[in-house]
Amino acid sequence: MQLLVAGLAIAAPLALGVAVTPSAPQGERVFDFDDAAIVEASALVVDDGLFLTTNDSGDTGRVFAVDGSGHTVGVTHWSEDPTDTEALAPAGHGYVWVGDIGDNLGRRSSITIARIPVGRGDRTVHPTTYRLVYRDGATDAETLLRDPTTGRLYIASKNVFGGVLYAVPARLDASGPNRLTSIGRVLPVATDGSFFPDGQHLVVRSYSSAVVYAWPSLQPVGSFSLPHQRQGEGVAVADDGRVYLSSEGPHSSVLQVALPPAIQDAVHPQVSVGPGTPSASPGSSRAADPAEVEPASRDAWPWLAGGLLGLAALLVLLRAVRPH
């Protein structure tokens, strides 16, 4: 099964015609989570020098605030029985959006998000939750993003042969349901994503690779392999442009990873390449509402060729793992 999952992570980007840099960067270890309660860190947000994460299915609804040494300095309890909490997104200083959006079997009639306070100290809150529904039926997702210039939220599905990016309504209705609108394609098996502070680029990761996109065109700027992790799922871009990765598993590490030079030049964050606690840096503004902009068209031939290569690789893997 591990061979199959690894193979899908390689074959699926080919299905979308996305070339991935073959050599994976090592990444710089920033810290290990020292809290034994953080065992399935499925998302990552950086806010005011704190690293925010949450366990996925099997835990109560709670968000951990962790300092730069890996020590938990605060926990926000927001629900006793979420279905499958998989995602976090920034929601303004001292707040995050938490996404109960996982749906491995594709059976949920709706998913939910909520905006909660986070930071140092423990607290229990009872936030307003917003129900979201897909227009094209239930789907699995682990990625929640927030545009820093408009505050608009987006969800990326976790489809094997190509993810879909959905826009959350700009104005949420607590009585719901709030219908999601598909606006473009992203890499397959998306496990997390984050906007860069300039509001003009975003990164979406899978278990083994990541793609940086221009926004709002969703044209790929570049892709790169990720460092080996136990089950790498989280990615966060701090206010200074530094990129951090997290992984599931007890006492897992948070890594800082340097972008490839070509992507770094395109994104233009002024960052240090060494690990450390992030510092704030303002980003540029943009007036257009990206939900109203159609994704730029792509030439069909690279996508078709990539899809055929990905399908061939998948068939080879399935034959390899089939019992004899």
Side-chain angles (χ1 to χ4, degrees):
M1 182 58 70
Q2 290 180 344
L3 175 62
L4 178 58
V5 172
L8 288 174
I10 296 171
L14 292 176
L16 288 186
V18 178
V20 178
T21 305
S23 59
Q26 293 299 310
E28 295 286 343
R29 186 175 69 86
V30 181
F31 63 81
D32 296 338
F33 290 115
D34 68 9
D35 191 338
I38 302 175
V39 293
E40 295 186 1
S42 188
L44 189 66
V45 165
V46 179
D47 179 53
D48 194 27
L50 295 178
F51 296 81
L52 308 168
T53 192
T54 185
N55 291 320
D56 62 15
S57 59
D59 195 8
T60 59
R62 51 181 174 168
V63 175
F64 301 86
V66 179
D67 66 17
S69 68
H71 179 64
T72 297
V73 295
V75 180
T76 298
H77 299 264
W78 65 275
S79 175
E80 289 299 320
D81 57 348
T83 301
D84 190 359
T85 306
E86 291 281 1
L88 299 174
H93 177 60
Y95 287 84
V96 295
W97 285 100
V98 59
D100 185 356
I101 62 175
D103 190 10
N104 291 327
L105 300 179
R107 295 178 177 176
R108 297 179 66 175
S109 60
S110 65
I111 55 178
T112 61
I113 59 173
R115 184 175 183 265
I116 66 169
V118 290
R120 297 179 182 273
D122 293 351
R123 59 185 63 79
T124 298
V125 298
H126 304 281
T128 300
T129 58
Y130 300 93
R131 290 192 302 120
L132 312 178
V133 296
Y134 297 95
R135 295 179 184 272
D136 46 356
T139 190
D140 190 25
E142 295 186 0
T143 302
L144 181 65
L145 307 98
R146 177 181 177 270
D147 185 330
T149 64
T150 67
R152 191 78 178 266
L153 294 171
Y154 300 87
I155 290 175
S157 67
K158 194 186 178 185
N159 298 336
V160 171
F161 287 108
V164 176
L165 190 68
Y166 295 88
V168 176
R171 294 184 178 180
L172 290 166
D173 181 357
S175 62
N178 297 273
R179 298 192 178 277
L180 301 170
T181 304
S182 62
I183 62 170
R185 306 282 292 183
V186 294
L187 88 170
V189 197
T191 61
D192 201 5
S194 178
F195 272 87
F196 285 84
D198 64 0
Q200 299 177 16
H201 300 87
L202 63 140
V203 60
V204 183
R205 70 163 294 171
S206 67
Y207 293 118
S208 60
S209 63
V211 180
V212 174
Y213 299 91
W215 184 252
S217 68
L218 282 180
Q219 289 287 348
V221 173
S223 58
F224 56 101
S225 297
L226 297 176
H228 174 73
Q229 296 174 287
R230 188 178 308 172
Q231 185 175 326
E233 293 204 6
V235 63
V237 181
D239 286 342
D240 61 5
R242 297 183 188 185
V243 179
Y244 297 91
L245 307 174
S246 62
S247 172
E248 290 195 4
H251 306 296
S252 61
S253 299
V254 168
L255 307 177
Q256 182 187 333
V257 63
L259 297 173
I263 299 178
Q264 178 84 3
D265 291 343
V267 176
H268 290 307
Q270 300 299 313
V271 301
S272 168
V273 297
T277 301
S279 59
S281 174
S284 61
S285 62
R286 178 177 49 80
D289 183 355
E292 299 176 356
V293 181
E294 290 294 328
S297 61
R298 296 170 172 82
D299 185 80
W301 286 107
W303 290 73
L304 179 59
L308 292 174
L309 287 172
L311 180 59
L314 176 60
L315 291 174
V316 170
L317 289 163
L318 289 173
R319 289 180 61 86
V321 299
R322 186 180 62 188
H324 295 285

